[in-house]
Amino acid sequence: MKISLAAAIGLLALTVTEAVKVNPLPAPRTINWATSGPVKVDNNFKIVGPKHDILSKAYVRHANLIKKERWVPQTWEKPIPEFPPFPQLSKRADGEDEPVEALGKKATLKTVNVVVEDLKADLQHGVDESYTLDITAAGKGTLKAKTVWGALNGLQTLNQIIISDGRDLVIEQPVHIEDAPKYPHRGVMYDTSRNFFPLPSLKRQIDALAYSKLNIFHWHITDTQSWPVEIKKHPQMIKDAYSPREVYTQKDIKELIRYGRERGVRVYPEVDMPGHSALGWAQVDPKAVTCADSWWDNDGWTHHSAVQPNPGQLDIAYPGTYPLIKDVYSELANVFTDDLFHVGFDELQRYCYNYSSYSMDWFKNNPGKGYSDFAQMYVDQALPIFRDRPGRRLVMWEDSVLSHDFAANSIPKDVIMQSWNNGVANIKALAKSGYDIIVSSADFFYLDCGHGGYVTNDPRYNVNEPPELPKAIQKAFDENPSAYSPTTVNYGGAGASWCAPYKSWQRIYNYDFTAGLTEAEAKHVIGGEAAMWSEQADETVIDSKVWPRAAALAENLWSGNRGADGYKRTTLLSARIQDFRERLVSRGVLAAPLVPKYCLKNPHHCDLFRNQTALGK
């Protein structure tokens, strides 16, 4: 029997041996392949280890996935091909793979033994997620981890490196892996208020998060547009769900937490307040919400009450607001088991409080005080409610301390700040102030961007020609037309997507979010989240909007975007993320295609530059 050279050994530039097709995504911190040849995996292969509720299910789940999937790599890393010099048209040298004899009989891997030191460590921030994985030429497999959660990461690596050679399951070479995440907080934020996502679609997201070793499902569960979450003390709040079918019961929440926990994914909530708060809250006490009945834009932005429809903020000067906050927070804090709880604090609009007599009275009674003092008044009353138990860490959007017109005067340094504006500049400012940071910079990590605007009756789209320029400027550009292209929102512009352009996987992967930070400042960055705001997303498109782009984030946060030589390894991720996308689709996650299939079949033929170090260090 003969098989092709590619099918027998493959090629991979990520390793010294260049001997395998498949390397895991995210790339392990250390991976060393041997050269002695494939290790056959027995058809009755199994994973064994300590008896444990979560691990025992994982042994069966991963073994079944491997045997059912029998993955045949769809693309893999190869050296960039040689092309004839211009203008020569002679036949190219990179022809078909040469046939070689099939490899002889080798040892068979029948069992992978899992060894875990601490079976009781909880799935919380900072838990040890490291593991080592050894597959020997003699067919012995051992996975060692400090905790259950590290073992789950190791199993994800195992299921990626076992492939089919067209006949048998194999691991292409014996391998030794030592692995641990660079950052402890790695995930995606899902907004389920602007559009509702049924529970099965959210479970599918958790599957994909786990496949890529992302460990955070940040659940932005409420916003102004709807209130989809059950609060038993105030059952009337879900009257502001989109429909009775579009509600998350507390049973649903617990089920999603359980599902995530079994896969090493933490589910933590965000109840956005005091901004982005209208529906739901007003069902309990209309006075707790202000400006909900205003026109959000005021047709000129001069006195806008919201950054998008529909308006509404909690009236932080109304005394009755705080007992309601306590009711909602206390109930959800007892449902969600994670130590993190996100309490919002973004995009507060000053003009919204012009509609509140309580707020206007506060300013009258506190002459000389401004909106920072007003915000601090809220913080001083709300923080004691949120500090409900030891170990709880709050998360807020960075606006709470960096907003130019509505930041509080003082927020404790143990509150984690989620940064979404101004890239590294804001990250550095927060770190310099002593805050721990979750990076979600909109210019790099917002997955909803670049699809145009969604507000209707928008005359900015009624532009069919480039705008006219003043004569002096027009003359200058006539002389050098390549220097300028006049744009409007609808003509060559961003199409009213405030955070355009679309954030490609390469943009996400190449983001150096600690650039310019001192070593001490960089230690305050605990990780990052891609943000999937759902104004233009629901269950029908969520897979393709998040995946496989979030896999680029996963590797950036797990092992970084540079190789040991200091060069960006984006070009080496190309084949792995393309193959990972195909694998996601085969597992039921409808991830978007990244390239024409030609590019999968011909690695590096679609590169913009032949120089494989073009991105530099």
Side-chain angles (χ1 to χ4, degrees):
M1 173 186 176
K2 291 186 176 184
I3 57 175
S4 71
L5 178 61
I9 62 172
L11 294 165
L12 184 71
L14 285 178
T15 67
V16 175
T17 60
E18 297 186 350
V20 300
K21 290 179 181 178
V22 173
N23 268 263
L25 189 157
R29 303 293 286 275
T30 302
I31 182 167
N32 295 303
W33 294 96
T35 58
S36 57
V39 178
K40 182 180 177 182
V41 178
D42 192 87
N43 286 330
N44 294 316
F45 156 80
K46 59 184 179 179
I47 302 168
V48 300
K51 291 183 179 179
H52 182 274
D53 179 49
I54 288 174
L55 279 178
S56 296
K57 294 175 183 176
Y59 303 151
V60 175
R61 187 170 64 249
H62 284 271
N64 288 344
L65 176 61
I66 290 165
K67 286 182 275 191
K68 177 183 177 182
E69 187 173 54
R70 303 185 71 85
W71 186 248
V72 176
Q74 300 301 292
T75 187
W76 57 91
E77 179 63 25
K78 291 183 179 181
I80 189 163
E82 292 295 328
F83 293 92
F86 182 84
Q88 182 180 339
L89 299 176
S90 61
K91 185 180 177 182
R92 187 168 86 196
D94 52 326
E96 293 296 319
D97 295 326
E98 296 178 6
V100 297
E101 293 296 324
L103 296 164
K105 188 174 182 180
K106 298 285 184 179
T108 299
L109 177 68
K110 295 184 177 181
T111 302
V112 171
N113 290 288
V114 178
V115 180
V116 178
E117 290 185 20
D118 183 357
L119 293 171
K120 295 182 179 179
D122 197 8
L123 182 62
Q124 297 289 358
H125 176 72
V127 70
D128 193 303
E129 295 180 87
S130 66
Y131 69 92
T132 61
L133 178 62
D134 284 286
I135 306 295
T136 71
K140 181 180 180 181
T142 306
L143 170 59
K144 294 182 179 180
K146 299 281 187 182
T147 68
V148 169
W149 321 110
L152 291 180
N153 287 325
L155 291 173
Q156 292 292 354
T157 297
L158 180 68
N159 79 46
Q160 287 193 41
I161 65 173
I162 297 178
I163 64 172
S164 171
D165 66 3
R167 183 181 63 180
D168 298 315
L169 289 175
V170 299
I171 296 176
E172 295 170 272
Q173 298 284 354
V175 66
H176 171 73
I177 298 172
E178 296 179 12
D179 207 9
K182 186 175 182 180
Y183 294 100
H185 189 104
R186 311 174 308 280
V188 177
M189 185 225 73
Y190 293 91
D191 165 18
T192 62
S193 175
R194 292 178 173 92
N195 277 307
F196 182 82
F197 295 81
L199 207 62
S201 68
L202 299 183
K203 286 184 174 181
R204 194 169 64 248
Q205 294 306 302
I206 286 177
D207 286 336
L209 292 169
Y211 295 149
S212 51
K213 298 188 180 72
L214 290 168
N215 65 348
I216 292 293
F217 183 106
H218 168 179
W219 197 349
H220 185 94
I221 200 167
T222 67
D223 215 288
T224 52
Q225 288 85 355
S226 76
W227 185 276
V229 58
E230 176 191 29
I231 302 296
K232 292 183 177 180
K233 188 168 184 177
H234 299 294
Q236 68 269 43
M237 294 183 83
I238 58 173
K239 289 181 179 179
D240 283 336
Y242 287 129
S243 76
R245 294 180 294 104
E246 293 169 290
V247 171
Y248 302 109
T249 67
Q250 292 186 14
K251 182 179 178 182
D252 292 333
I253 294 170
K254 290 176 181 177
E255 169 60 17
L256 197 68
I257 292 169
R258 179 203 65 78
Y259 193 85
R261 183 177 175 82
E262 288 188 355
R263 288 153 180 81
V265 176
R266 296 162 46 207
V267 178
Y268 83 98
E270 178 186 353
V271 177
D272 205 351
M273 53 184 157
H276 290 274
S277 302
L279 297 181
W281 301 98
Q283 287 286 350
V284 181
D285 186 349
K287 291 185 289 186
V289 176
T290 184
C291 83
D293 294 328
S294 67
W295 175 243
W296 70 280
D297 183 24
N298 290 286
D299 277 3
W301 204 248
T302 308
H303 298 96
H304 63 276
S305 56
V307 295
Q308 63 177 192
N310 52 311
Q313 295 178 177
L314 292 182
D315 191 340
I316 60 178
Y318 169 56
T321 296
Y322 295 93
L324 179 54
I325 289 175
K326 185 174 182 179
D327 289 346
V328 171
Y329 175 83
S330 298
E331 192 163 317
L332 290 179
N334 286 324
V335 176
F336 286 91
T337 57
D338 202 85
D339 283 343
L340 299 188
F341 199 111
H342 202 306
V343 291
F345 212 127
D346 64 317
E347 296 186 316
L348 281 169
Q349 305 301 307
R350 292 186 302 171
Y351 293 122
C352 180
Y353 288 105
N354 286 27
Y355 294 87
S356 163
S357 60
Y358 294 97
S359 298
M360 292 298 96
D361 287 346
W362 186 91
F363 282 103
K364 290 177 184 177
N365 295 331
N366 293 275
K369 291 194 174 182
Y371 281 94
S372 290
D373 304 297
F374 193 47
Q376 190 63 43
M377 179 268 294
Y378 166 76
V379 170
D380 292 342
Q381 294 186 73
L383 272 184
I385 296 171
F386 300 147
R387 296 191 183 281
D388 59 320
R389 62 176 171 84
R392 170 77 75 202
R393 288 197 73 180
L394 302 175
V395 185
M396 293 182 181
W397 294 103
E398 65 183 0
D399 311 44
S400 58
V401 294
L402 294 184
S403 171
H404 70 281
D405 62 358
F406 217 139
N409 293 320
S410 177
I411 290 180
K413 295 298 190 288
D414 63 343
V415 175
I416 299 168
M417 291 293 157
Q418 187 159 10
S419 180
W420 65 283
N421 267 319
N422 298 327
V424 175
N426 277 15
I427 295 167
K428 186 173 180 67
L430 293 167
K432 195 172 182 178
S433 297
Y435 290 103
D436 287 345
I437 303 149
I438 297 167
V439 176
S440 293
S441 302
D443 285 339
F444 298 90
F445 288 173
Y446 269 31
L447 302 179
D448 58 306
C449 303
H451 293 281
Y454 78 93
V455 292
T456 48
N457 194 35
D458 188 342
R460 294 175 298 174
Y461 291 110
N462 189 29
V463 177
N464 300 294
E465 297 178 356
E468 289 188 19
L469 298 173
K471 289 183 178 179
I473 298 176
Q474 186 65 58
K475 181 179 178 181
F477 291 126
D478 285 343
E479 294 173 356
N480 185 12
S482 64
Y484 179 74
S485 176
T487 65
T488 65
V489 165
N490 193 45
Y491 193 96
S497 173
W498 74 269
C499 55
Y502 180 87
K503 308 304 183 264
S504 71
W505 71 266
Q506 294 183 75
R507 187 182 183 100
I508 293 167
Y509 189 68
N510 285 321
Y511 185 27
D512 294 324
F513 46 82
T514 59
L517 274 63
T518 66
E519 184 177 350
E521 290 167 349
K523 289 180 180 178
H524 281 291
V525 177
I526 64 172
E529 295 175 5
M532 187 59 248
W533 301 105
S534 69
E535 287 92 342
Q536 295 172 296
D538 63 12
E539 64 171 319
T540 64
V541 298
I542 186 66
D543 290 7
S544 61
K545 287 203 172 187
V546 176
W547 303 100
R549 289 186 291 164
L553 172 75
E555 180 156 307
N556 197 347
L557 296 174
W558 182 273
S559 53
N561 58 18
R562 285 177 166 80
D565 57 4
Y567 282 94
K568 288 279 183 79
R569 60 185 182 197
T570 315
T571 188
L572 297 177
L573 178 59
S574 296
R576 286 186 297 114
I577 197 169
Q578 291 163 16
D579 189 64
F580 189 75
R581 180 264 171 179
E582 300 297 315
R583 210 161 195 167
L584 286 174
V585 172
S586 79
R587 294 177 179 184
V589 179
L590 299 182
L594 298 175
V595 292
K597 198 165 186 177
Y598 169 87
C599 304
L600 274 73
K601 297 295 186 181
N602 299 276
H604 293 299
H605 282 240
C606 297
D607 290 0
L608 182 62
F609 288 94
R610 291 198 72 244
N611 177 8
Q612 295 298 288
T613 60
L615 277 76
K617 292 188 176 182

mmCIF file of all heavy atoms in Angstrom, residues 250-276:
data_model
loop_
_atom_site.group_PDB
_atom_site.id
_atom_site.type_symbol
_atom_site.label_atom_id
_atom_site.label_comp_id
_atom_site.label_asym_id
_atom_site.label_seq_id
_atom_site.Cartn_x
_atom_site.Cartn_y
_atom_site.Cartn_z
ATOM 1 N N GLN A 250 -34.594 31.233 36.163
ATOM 2 C CA GLN A 250 -33.434 30.934 36.998
ATOM 3 C C GLN A 250 -32.995 29.481 36.816
ATOM 4 O O GLN A 250 -31.808 29.169 36.943
ATOM 5 C CB GLN A 250 -33.751 31.253 38.459
ATOM 6 C CG GLN A 250 -33.922 32.754 38.664
ATOM 7 C CD GLN A 250 -34.091 33.170 40.109
ATOM 8 O OE1 GLN A 250 -33.828 32.398 41.025
ATOM 9 N NE2 GLN A 250 -34.527 34.407 40.318
ATOM 10 N N LYS A 251 -33.913 28.631 36.460
ATOM 11 C CA LYS A 251 -33.552 27.252 36.119
ATOM 12 C C LYS A 251 -32.685 27.227 34.863
ATOM 13 O O LYS A 251 -31.703 26.476 34.782
ATOM 14 C CB LYS A 251 -34.816 26.417 35.900
ATOM 15 C CG LYS A 251 -34.548 24.949 35.598
ATOM 16 C CD LYS A 251 -35.857 24.186 35.414
ATOM 17 C CE LYS A 251 -35.591 22.723 35.072
ATOM 18 N NZ LYS A 251 -36.864 21.971 34.846
ATOM 19 N N ASP A 252 -33.020 28.044 33.875
ATOM 20 C CA ASP A 252 -32.218 28.151 32.653
ATOM 21 C C ASP A 252 -30.803 28.631 32.977
ATOM 22 O O ASP A 252 -29.810 28.106 32.441
ATOM 23 C CB ASP A 252 -32.851 29.135 31.662
ATOM 24 C CG ASP A 252 -34.153 28.645 31.075
ATOM 25 O OD1 ASP A 252 -34.350 27.411 30.996
ATOM 26 O OD2 ASP A 252 -34.983 29.491 30.699
ATOM 27 N N ILE A 253 -30.722 29.645 33.822
ATOM 28 C CA ILE A 253 -29.413 30.194 34.187
ATOM 29 C C ILE A 253 -28.557 29.138 34.850
ATOM 30 O O ILE A 253 -27.378 28.958 34.508
ATOM 31 C CB ILE A 253 -29.589 31.417 35.111
ATOM 32 C CG1 ILE A 253 -30.268 32.557 34.351
ATOM 33 C CG2 ILE A 253 -28.240 31.868 35.665
ATOM 34 C CD1 ILE A 253 -30.689 33.718 35.234
ATOM 35 N N LYS A 254 -29.136 28.421 35.789
ATOM 36 C CA LYS A 254 -28.381 27.371 36.484
ATOM 37 C C LYS A 254 -27.941 26.270 35.520
ATOM 38 O O LYS A 254 -26.854 25.717 35.660
ATOM 39 C CB LYS A 254 -29.226 26.787 37.620
ATOM 40 C CG LYS A 254 -29.437 27.759 38.781
ATOM 41 C CD LYS A 254 -30.370 27.174 39.837
ATOM 42 C CE LYS A 254 -30.595 28.170 40.974
ATOM 43 N NZ LYS A 254 -31.557 27.652 41.985
ATOM 44 N N GLU A 255 -28.780 25.971 34.543
ATOM 45 C CA GLU A 255 -28.421 24.956 33.554
ATOM 46 C C GLU A 255 -27.246 25.415 32.703
ATOM 47 O O GLU A 255 -26.336 24.626 32.402
ATOM 48 C CB GLU A 255 -29.629 24.642 32.674
ATOM 49 C CG GLU A 255 -29.338 23.794 31.435
ATOM 50 C CD GLU A 255 -28.749 22.417 31.754
ATOM 51 O OE1 GLU A 255 -28.846 21.962 32.914
ATOM 52 O OE2 GLU A 255 -28.192 21.802 30.820
ATOM 53 N N LEU A 256 -27.236 26.693 32.307
ATOM 54 C CA LEU A 256 -26.118 27.191 31.506
ATOM 55 C C LEU A 256 -24.833 27.225 32.333
ATOM 56 O O LEU A 256 -23.749 26.904 31.822
ATOM 57 C CB LEU A 256 -26.430 28.578 30.953
ATOM 58 C CG LEU A 256 -25.533 29.014 29.797
ATOM 59 C CD1 LEU A 256 -25.814 28.173 28.552
ATOM 60 C CD2 LEU A 256 -25.714 30.500 29.476
ATOM 61 N N ILE A 257 -24.946 27.592 33.586
ATOM 62 C CA ILE A 257 -23.769 27.570 34.470
ATOM 63 C C ILE A 257 -23.229 26.149 34.593
ATOM 64 O O ILE A 257 -22.017 25.916 34.520
ATOM 65 C CB ILE A 257 -24.128 28.147 35.853
ATOM 66 C CG1 ILE A 257 -24.430 29.655 35.745
ATOM 67 C CG2 ILE A 257 -22.991 27.914 36.852
ATOM 68 C CD1 ILE A 257 -25.045 30.245 36.998
ATOM 69 N N ARG A 258 -24.126 25.182 34.780
ATOM 70 C CA ARG A 258 -23.702 23.785 34.876
ATOM 71 C C ARG A 258 -23.021 23.332 33.597
ATOM 72 O O ARG A 258 -21.953 22.700 33.632
ATOM 73 C CB ARG A 258 -24.915 22.881 35.153
ATOM 74 C CG ARG A 258 -24.568 21.392 35.244
ATOM 75 C CD ARG A 258 -25.760 20.506 34.950
ATOM 76 N NE ARG A 258 -26.224 20.630 33.577
ATOM 77 C CZ ARG A 258 -25.635 20.064 32.524
ATOM 78 N NH1 ARG A 258 -24.545 19.317 32.672
ATOM 79 N NH2 ARG A 258 -26.132 20.232 31.309
ATOM 80 N N TYR A 259 -23.619 23.670 32.481
ATOM 81 C CA TYR A 259 -23.074 23.255 31.190
ATOM 82 C C TYR A 259 -21.679 23.848 30.986
ATOM 83 O O TYR A 259 -20.754 23.163 30.533
ATOM 84 C CB TYR A 259 -24.017 23.722 30.072
ATOM 85 C CG TYR A 259 -23.733 23.100 28.727
ATOM 86 C CD1 TYR A 259 -24.269 21.860 28.388
ATOM 87 C CD2 TYR A 259 -22.939 23.754 27.792
ATOM 88 C CE1 TYR A 259 -24.025 21.293 27.140
ATOM 89 C CE2 TYR A 259 -22.677 23.192 26.550
ATOM 90 C CZ TYR A 259 -23.225 21.966 26.232
ATOM 91 O OH TYR A 259 -22.962 21.408 25.009
ATOM 92 N N GLY A 260 -21.537 25.114 31.316
ATOM 93 C CA GLY A 260 -20.229 25.738 31.182
ATOM 94 C C GLY A 260 -19.208 25.136 32.127
ATOM 95 O O GLY A 260 -18.059 24.865 31.736
ATOM 96 N N ARG A 261 -19.594 24.909 33.353
ATOM 97 C CA ARG A 261 -18.670 24.373 34.351
ATOM 98 C C ARG A 261 -18.124 23.012 33.922
ATOM 99 O O ARG A 261 -16.935 22.718 34.106
ATOM 100 C CB ARG A 261 -19.382 24.272 35.698
ATOM 101 C CG ARG A 261 -18.503 23.800 36.853
ATOM 102 C CD ARG A 261 -19.295 23.804 38.153
ATOM 103 N NE ARG A 261 -18.514 23.246 39.242
ATOM 104 C CZ ARG A 261 -17.610 23.912 39.955
ATOM 105 N NH1 ARG A 261 -17.378 25.171 39.676
ATOM 106 N NH2 ARG A 261 -16.947 23.320 40.926
ATOM 107 N N GLU A 262 -18.973 22.181 33.344
ATOM 108 C CA GLU A 262 -18.517 20.859 32.902
ATOM 109 C C GLU A 262 -17.497 20.960 31.777
ATOM 110 O O GLU A 262 -16.781 19.995 31.494
ATOM 111 C CB GLU A 262 -19.713 20.012 32.448
ATOM 112 C CG GLU A 262 -20.588 19.556 33.598
ATOM 113 C CD GLU A 262 -21.647 18.557 33.173
ATOM 114 O OE1 GLU A 262 -21.768 18.293 31.949
ATOM 115 O OE2 GLU A 262 -22.350 18.030 34.065
ATOM 116 N N ARG A 263 -17.390 22.115 31.169
ATOM 117 C CA ARG A 263 -16.443 22.320 30.063
ATOM 118 C C ARG A 263 -15.350 23.338 30.403
ATOM 119 O O ARG A 263 -14.615 23.780 29.523
ATOM 120 C CB ARG A 263 -17.227 22.760 28.819
ATOM 121 C CG ARG A 263 -18.036 21.604 28.229
ATOM 122 C CD ARG A 263 -19.261 22.071 27.477
ATOM 123 N NE ARG A 263 -19.991 20.913 26.952
ATOM 124 C CZ ARG A 263 -20.825 20.170 27.683
ATOM 125 N NH1 ARG A 263 -21.045 20.458 28.963
ATOM 126 N NH2 ARG A 263 -21.429 19.124 27.140
ATOM 127 N N GLY A 264 -15.291 23.727 31.668
ATOM 128 C CA GLY A 264 -14.257 24.646 32.114
ATOM 129 C C GLY A 264 -14.513 26.091 31.747
ATOM 130 O O GLY A 264 -13.577 26.898 31.696
ATOM 131 N N VAL A 265 -15.771 26.450 31.494
ATOM 132 C CA VAL A 265 -16.135 27.810 31.102
ATOM 133 C C VAL A 265 -16.941 28.446 32.226
ATOM 134 O O VAL A 265 -17.977 27.914 32.638
ATOM 135 C CB VAL A 265 -16.947 27.820 29.796
ATOM 136 C CG1 VAL A 265 -17.412 29.240 29.458
ATOM 137 C CG2 VAL A 265 -16.118 27.249 28.655
ATOM 138 N N ARG A 266 -16.459 29.580 32.698
ATOM 139 C CA ARG A 266 -17.139 30.312 33.758
ATOM 140 C C ARG A 266 -18.202 31.227 33.167
ATOM 141 O O ARG A 266 -17.929 31.962 32.222
ATOM 142 C CB ARG A 266 -16.135 31.139 34.575
ATOM 143 C CG ARG A 266 -15.132 30.309 35.323
ATOM 144 C CD ARG A 266 -13.914 31.119 35.740
ATOM 145 N NE ARG A 266 -14.277 32.397 36.340
ATOM 146 C CZ ARG A 266 -13.511 33.473 36.316
ATOM 147 N NH1 ARG A 266 -12.357 33.457 35.675
ATOM 148 N NH2 ARG A 266 -13.898 34.582 36.902
ATOM 149 N N VAL A 267 -19.383 31.199 33.727
ATOM 150 C CA VAL A 267 -20.469 32.080 33.302
ATOM 151 C C VAL A 267 -20.664 33.129 34.383
ATOM 152 O O VAL A 267 -21.008 32.801 35.520
ATOM 153 C CB VAL A 267 -21.777 31.291 33.086
ATOM 154 C CG1 VAL A 267 -22.911 32.228 32.679
ATOM 155 C CG2 VAL A 267 -21.580 30.192 32.044
ATOM 156 N N TYR A 268 -20.380 34.394 34.036
ATOM 157 C CA TYR A 268 -20.614 35.438 35.035
ATOM 158 C C TYR A 268 -21.496 36.526 34.434
ATOM 159 O O TYR A 268 -21.458 36.790 33.237
ATOM 160 C CB TYR A 268 -19.298 35.984 35.591
ATOM 161 C CG TYR A 268 -18.589 37.040 34.790
ATOM 162 C CD1 TYR A 268 -18.725 38.394 35.107
ATOM 163 C CD2 TYR A 268 -17.748 36.711 33.726
ATOM 164 C CE1 TYR A 268 -18.047 39.372 34.392
ATOM 165 C CE2 TYR A 268 -17.069 37.682 33.014
ATOM 166 C CZ TYR A 268 -17.228 39.015 33.350
ATOM 167 O OH TYR A 268 -16.564 39.986 32.639
ATOM 168 N N PRO A 269 -22.328 37.166 35.272
ATOM 169 C CA PRO A 269 -23.375 38.047 34.755
ATOM 170 C C PRO A 269 -22.970 39.507 34.723
ATOM 171 O O PRO A 269 -22.088 39.959 35.451
ATOM 172 C CB PRO A 269 -24.494 37.849 35.776
ATOM 173 C CG PRO A 269 -23.747 37.678 37.077
ATOM 174 C CD PRO A 269 -22.480 36.911 36.717
ATOM 175 N N GLU A 270 -23.669 40.248 33.863
ATOM 176 C CA GLU A 270 -23.653 41.696 33.922
ATOM 177 C C GLU A 270 -25.080 42.210 33.930
ATOM 178 O O GLU A 270 -25.866 41.905 33.026
ATOM 179 C CB GLU A 270 -22.913 42.311 32.728
ATOM 180 C CG GLU A 270 -22.931 43.835 32.761
ATOM 181 C CD GLU A 270 -22.341 44.488 31.525
ATOM 182 O OE1 GLU A 270 -21.790 43.771 30.669
ATOM 183 O OE2 GLU A 270 -22.443 45.723 31.410
ATOM 184 N N VAL A 271 -25.408 42.951 34.964
ATOM 185 C CA VAL A 271 -26.641 43.719 34.989
ATOM 186 C C VAL A 271 -26.215 45.166 34.806
ATOM 187 O O VAL A 271 -25.638 45.776 35.708
ATOM 188 C CB VAL A 271 -27.407 43.529 36.310
ATOM 189 C CG1 VAL A 271 -28.657 44.403 36.326
ATOM 190 C CG2 VAL A 271 -27.782 42.062 36.502
ATOM 191 N N ASP A 272 -26.444 45.698 33.624
ATOM 192 C CA ASP A 272 -25.944 47.033 33.300
ATOM 193 C C ASP A 272 -26.775 48.065 34.054
ATOM 194 O O ASP A 272 -27.999 48.117 33.912
ATOM 195 C CB ASP A 272 -26.004 47.270 31.792
ATOM 196 C CG ASP A 272 -24.988 48.305 31.336
ATOM 197 O OD1 ASP A 272 -24.366 48.957 32.197
ATOM 198 O OD2 ASP A 272 -24.805 48.456 30.115
ATOM 199 N N MET A 273 -26.106 48.889 34.853
ATOM 200 C CA MET A 273 -26.742 49.939 35.629
ATOM 201 C C MET A 273 -25.660 50.945 36.065
ATOM 202 O O MET A 273 -24.483 50.587 36.069
ATOM 203 C CB MET A 273 -27.474 49.355 36.844
ATOM 204 C CG MET A 273 -26.619 48.461 37.727
ATOM 205 S SD MET A 273 -27.587 47.727 39.066
ATOM 206 C CE MET A 273 -26.611 46.285 39.466
ATOM 207 N N PRO A 274 -25.997 52.147 36.369
ATOM 208 C CA PRO A 274 -27.324 52.770 36.291
ATOM 209 C C PRO A 274 -27.698 53.235 34.886
ATOM 210 O O PRO A 274 -28.838 53.600 34.633
ATOM 211 C CB PRO A 274 -27.184 53.963 37.231
ATOM 212 C CG PRO A 274 -25.755 54.361 37.127
ATOM 213 C CD PRO A 274 -24.994 53.053 36.965
ATOM 214 N N GLY A 275 -26.728 53.243 33.945
ATOM 215 C CA GLY A 275 -27.077 53.528 32.561
ATOM 216 C C GLY A 275 -27.680 52.307 31.898
ATOM 217 O O GLY A 275 -27.730 51.224 32.480
ATOM 218 N N HIS A 276 -28.156 52.480 30.673
ATOM 219 C CA HIS A 276 -28.726 51.359 29.912
ATOM 220 C C HIS A 276 -29.773 50.612 30.742
ATOM 221 O O HIS A 276 -29.814 49.383 30.764
ATOM 222 C CB HIS A 276 -27.620 50.395 29.472
ATOM 223 C CG HIS A 276 -26.720 50.962 28.417
ATOM 224 N ND1 HIS A 276 -27.006 50.894 27.075
ATOM 225 C CD2 HIS A 276 -25.535 51.610 28.515
ATOM 226 C CE1 HIS A 276 -26.026 51.472 26.386
ATOM 227 N NE2 HIS A 276 -25.118 51.935 27.241
#
